[in-house]
Amino acid sequence: MPQHAPTARICRDCDGFAAVVITTGSLHRDGTRVTLRVTCPACKGTGTARRVRPMEVAA
């Protein structure tokens, strides 16, 4: 019987790419580029989403 793989909880905002590095165009004195590291505010740089419990609806 085949085994089902668990679904990955990937962040829906960053699609799993939680951190990016952006170059500013400037250079340091040693010749390396000045960069800014930006993380996803939704998952705080983890790339995974929180497990959400289903909402109960009262009728």
Side-chain angles (χ1 to χ4, degrees), residues 28-50:
H28 290 289
R29 291 183 189 205
D30 63 355
T32 58
R33 296 194 181 271
V34 178
T35 58
L36 301 172
R37 184 170 190 248
V38 181
T39 57
C40 174
C43 65
K44 297 181 178 49
T46 62
T48 58
R50 292 183 347 183

